[in-house]
Amino acid sequence: MKRLFNVLVAVFVVGAALYFFLNRTDKSEGEAPVLAGAPSAAALLVRGEYLTKAADCIACHTVPGGKGQPFAGGLPFVLPFGTIYSSNITADPETGIGKWSDDDFVRALHDGVRADGKRLYPAFPYTSYTALSRNDVLAIKAYLFSLPKVSQPNREADLGFPFNQRWAMGFWNAAFFKSSRFEADASKPPAWNQGKYLATALGHCAECHTPRNFAFAMDAGNNLAGESIQGWRAYNITSDAKNGIGAWSDAEIASYLTTGHAEGRSSASGPMGEAVEHSLQYLKPEDASALVSYLRTVPAKAGKNPIEVDAKAPWAVAASAAAPAANTAEGHEQGLRLFAAACASCHQWNGQGQQSTNASLLGTRGVNDPDGSNVTQMILQGVKMRVRDQEVYMPAFGKAYTDTEVAALANYVIAQFGNKQGTVTPEFVAKQRAR
């Protein structure tokens, strides 16, 4: 019995030592590339505001639609194992982070540990923010602390056992996370390093665009090859010419990032629309160009469920702006009627769009995706964002149409403008509604 006890004690000691060894943190401060919008000589709050926007903090920490106060948290993230709610990051001392020290804030972003010592879930992208320099992290903190305080209690995560055991995140971190700062590649131009810092640390593009493994950790071997998140497809943005953005021009990529639209390529909506509205549109042209230069070099990957874009879908090309192509009606009678009633006046029958270029459909990946995730979500939720003093708007039809009608409309749009056979079902639409 004593021998068994000694063995158990030894196992516990070794296990604990291994646990803390694998969760050791990098105490280096790191030297971040100097961004055009946040020069080192700028005032602290000026730098902090630019960096906070580049990091898109407001998108996750604010309930949209005027239902929540800026940075007060409460936005739900529905995950395979439960729901997590973003936290209040205003300087309110009781419900926010007003009592956090500089070291507390840095530890949260670098190591995923709260001021009370409890571990954060990686829905908060500390796995990307860990690469931020300490100076940039503290500039963000200074800006957040300059904003109005909001008293709003945080909502506890709705997770079942064992996912509700925050301490167990230590094992996840040991397997899938490394606390480390950004290291510039001396063999690359300064602009490339600036772009990589923007994409990997501040903008944390991989958090949405990279596939997840069985443990919900990012699959580094398929970096930026596309993933489905919150009911939307975050598309492949590797340099793959067929399935990614390798065939896009620099101007097209920059336009999409900073305005949410690239002619003949895509119009942003959903989470990407939020990223454009709250973050990317504010990048200085030099920083946007740097981001493009880095994305150009991301290794090409086909990704899962690749989308082949038919930029010259015969049905749409054959149609005039004012009349449908008759040969798309077969099997899509209901969808055609719905499109005629609610969509054609803005999108036009040839998909070129009217009044706003954002309404163009031809050549976009959404209408070329038989799965129809993004087309369905756009029908259900609509689009509403403000970019460069322009209101981009599409009404939501979720309350007006049944699941069967939404499925019919989505499949018609995919056939008409993508030359594909859509697979959207009423059951799928119901799931999309629930996200």
Side-chain angles (χ1 to χ4, degrees):
M1 190 68 181
K2 184 177 181 181
R3 174 179 290 183
L4 177 60
F5 175 77
N6 290 335
V7 169
L8 291 175
V9 170
V11 168
F12 174 80
V13 171
V14 172
L18 185 62
Y19 178 91
F20 287 109
F21 174 76
L22 292 175
N23 281 281
R24 64 193 186 284
T25 60
D26 182 350
K27 298 299 183 181
S28 64
E29 295 190 3
E31 293 185 14
V34 178
L35 303 179
S40 54
L44 180 63
L45 293 184
V46 172
R47 291 185 64 248
E49 181 179 12
Y50 188 80
L51 294 168
T52 300
K53 287 180 178 177
D56 202 14
C57 304
I58 195 170
C60 289
H61 289 277
T62 306
V63 177
K67 298 178 181 178
Q69 295 297 311
F71 301 105
L75 185 68
F77 293 86
V78 181
L79 305 170
F81 39 82
T83 302
I84 294 172
Y85 300 88
S86 62
S87 57
N88 184 339
I89 57 170
T90 72
D92 182 71
E94 301 304 325
T95 63
I97 58 173
K99 293 181 179 178
W100 286 30
S101 68
D102 286 354
D103 286 343
D104 290 336
F105 193 76
V106 170
R107 191 183 183 199
L109 272 70
H110 280 176
D111 306 317
V113 179
R114 303 189 314 196
D116 62 4
K118 292 184 178 180
R119 295 189 179 275
L120 293 163
Y121 293 108
F124 172 69
Y126 65 86
T127 47
S128 294
Y129 288 157
T130 186
L132 293 171
S133 71
R134 181 181 176 89
N135 285 339
D136 283 355
V137 171
L138 293 182
I140 291 172
K141 176 177 180 285
Y143 174 69
L144 290 175
F145 273 54
S146 74
L147 300 176
K149 302 173 184 178
V150 180
S151 178
Q152 178 174 300
N154 290 310
R155 187 169 176 178
E156 283 299 317
D158 183 13
L159 303 171
F161 184 85
F163 304 107
N164 59 356
Q165 302 299 304
R166 287 183 178 271
W167 63 268
M169 281 302 304
F171 294 106
W172 188 94
N173 287 343
F176 302 111
F177 169 68
K178 180 181 179 181
S179 174
S180 60
R181 303 316 141 244
F182 181 87
E183 293 184 10
D185 185 340
S187 69
K188 300 288 188 181
W192 183 92
N193 281 293
Q194 292 163 4
K196 183 177 181 181
Y197 188 69
L198 277 165
T200 60
L202 274 168
H204 55 280
C205 306
E207 301 286 346
C208 288
H209 289 274
T210 297
R212 301 276 175 168
N213 64 19
F214 71 97
F216 208 67
M218 289 183 287
D219 177 7
N222 282 294
N223 184 40
L224 303 184
E227 179 61 299
S228 294
I229 182 169
Q230 301 287 304
W232 293 83
R233 283 195 71 170
Y235 294 126
N236 184 333
I237 55 172
T238 72
S239 59
D240 188 283
K242 185 177 182 181
N243 303 298
I245 57 174
W248 295 30
S249 69
D250 288 358
E252 287 171 339
I253 299 173
S255 177
Y256 181 73
L257 292 173
T258 59
T259 71
H261 177 74
E263 189 66 31
R265 296 293 188 182
S266 192
S267 292
S269 56
M272 188 63 200
E274 292 175 355
V276 172
E277 180 179 21
H278 299 303
S279 176
L280 295 169
Q281 69 164 311
Y282 297 105
L283 292 180
K284 295 291 186 182
E286 303 93 321
D287 291 331
S289 178
L291 181 54
V292 172
S293 71
Y294 168 72
L295 291 175
R296 279 280 184 226
T297 67
V298 175
K301 298 288 183 179
K304 60 183 180 182
N305 303 319
I307 300 170
E308 294 187 27
V309 175
D310 187 344
K312 296 182 179 180
W315 318 139
V317 172
S320 69
N327 51 356
T328 58
E330 185 175 354
H332 294 288
E333 291 81 5
Q334 184 180 26
L336 185 149
R337 289 195 300 270
L338 292 166
F339 189 87
C343 312
S345 60
C346 287
H347 296 288
Q348 299 186 298
W349 290 101
N350 58 9
Q352 294 301 314
Q354 185 170 272
Q355 297 176 332
S356 170
T357 55
N358 291 75
S360 61
L361 298 173
L362 202 60
T364 66
R365 284 195 274 192
V367 302
N368 279 272
D369 180 9
D371 174 79
S373 292
N374 289 9
V375 169
T376 300
Q377 288 287 24
M378 289 180 69
I379 295 171
L380 291 172
Q381 298 184 22
V383 179
K384 185 177 182 180
M385 61 182 189
R386 189 166 187 82
V387 181
R388 298 185 177 182
D389 297 323
Q390 178 187 2
E391 194 77 26
V392 180
Y393 177 75
M394 170 184 157
F397 294 95
K399 294 182 179 179
Y401 292 161
T402 66
D403 294 342
T404 299
E405 289 172 326
V406 171
L409 178 55
N411 287 328
Y412 173 75
V413 167
I414 293 167
Q416 170 78 358
F417 302 106
N419 195 27
K420 307 289 195 309
Q421 181 65 46
T423 60
V424 182
T425 65
E427 292 75 19
F428 176 75
V429 175
K431 290 180 180 179
Q432 291 290 80
R433 283 186 193 273
R435 292 182 184 277

